[in-house]
Amino acid sequence: MFVSMTHNNITVVLAISQSLLLPMIMVGGFFIKPESIPVYMYWLKYTSWFYYGYELLNVNEWNKLTGLDCSTPSVPECTASGQQVLQSLGYSEDNVTSDILSLLLLFFGYLFLGYIILLYRVSCHHRHCGQSRCRR
């Protein structure tokens, strides 16, 4: 949401937001396990709401699941319980509270960042009243 505060042109906002969302999706756990994220991108997972949301989704889905059918010979590495699935993905039921708090913190943090950007743009506009010093 804060990206929409940076510019008046929707095309520019969409280009910026896509550039920010792609790395967040990549480190969110959909395509890459959290422990497989490259070192130079590892810190990005803490700024991604996908990371926390995907862990919550997996814990909700797999936590209490037991008795998975491993009788199919075509599946070489079958996990018999949901806990094993969570462990293989690198997630834990113990992180549920911290994930929810992190999502709330990210929500209000990005909201506050958007507010600061909006304040800057409004104050810049009022100070220069149409002069070309401020980006629009």
Side-chain angles (χ1 to χ4, degrees):
M1 179 167 64
F2 75 93
V3 176
S4 64
M5 307 288 183
T6 60
H7 210 278
N8 288 341
N9 187 340
I10 188 68
T11 307
V12 173
V13 170
L14 288 174
I16 293 170
S17 64
Q18 294 303 319
S19 301
L20 292 174
L21 281 176
L22 184 61
M24 286 189 176
I25 291 171
M26 286 176 52
V27 299
F30 293 119
F31 305 114
I32 304 173
K33 287 184 182 180
E35 64 266 5
S36 301
I37 297 171
V39 175
Y40 58 89
M41 291 182 72
Y42 194 77
W43 63 273
L44 272 177
K45 77 177 188 177
Y46 298 112
T47 65
S48 172
W49 55 86
F50 295 108
Y51 172 69
Y52 302 108
Y54 192 60
E55 182 171 20
L56 286 170
L57 177 76
N58 275 291
V59 168
N60 181 58
E61 186 67 28
W62 296 107
N63 187 33
K64 305 289 183 200
L65 196 61
T66 57
L68 297 174
D69 183 22
C70 288
S71 62
T72 308
S74 64
V75 181
E77 296 180 23
C78 184
T79 53
S81 74
Q83 288 296 327
Q84 289 176 340
V85 173
L86 287 175
Q87 287 175 353
S88 71
L89 293 173
Y91 297 131
S92 171
E93 181 185 3
D94 299 334
N95 295 340
V96 169
T97 304
S98 64
D99 286 341
I100 292 171
L101 292 175
S102 297
L103 281 172
L104 288 171
L105 180 68
L106 282 175
F107 173 75
F108 288 111
Y110 286 132
L111 191 64
F112 182 71
L113 183 59
Y115 177 72
I116 296 298
I117 292 170
L118 186 61
L119 276 181
Y120 171 75
R121 291 193 65 211
V122 168
S123 69
C124 187
H125 177 71
H126 283 299
R127 274 188 275 141
H128 302 293
C129 292
Q131 296 176 7
S132 62
R133 293 183 193 171
C134 297
R135 290 186 356 175
R136 294 184 179 208

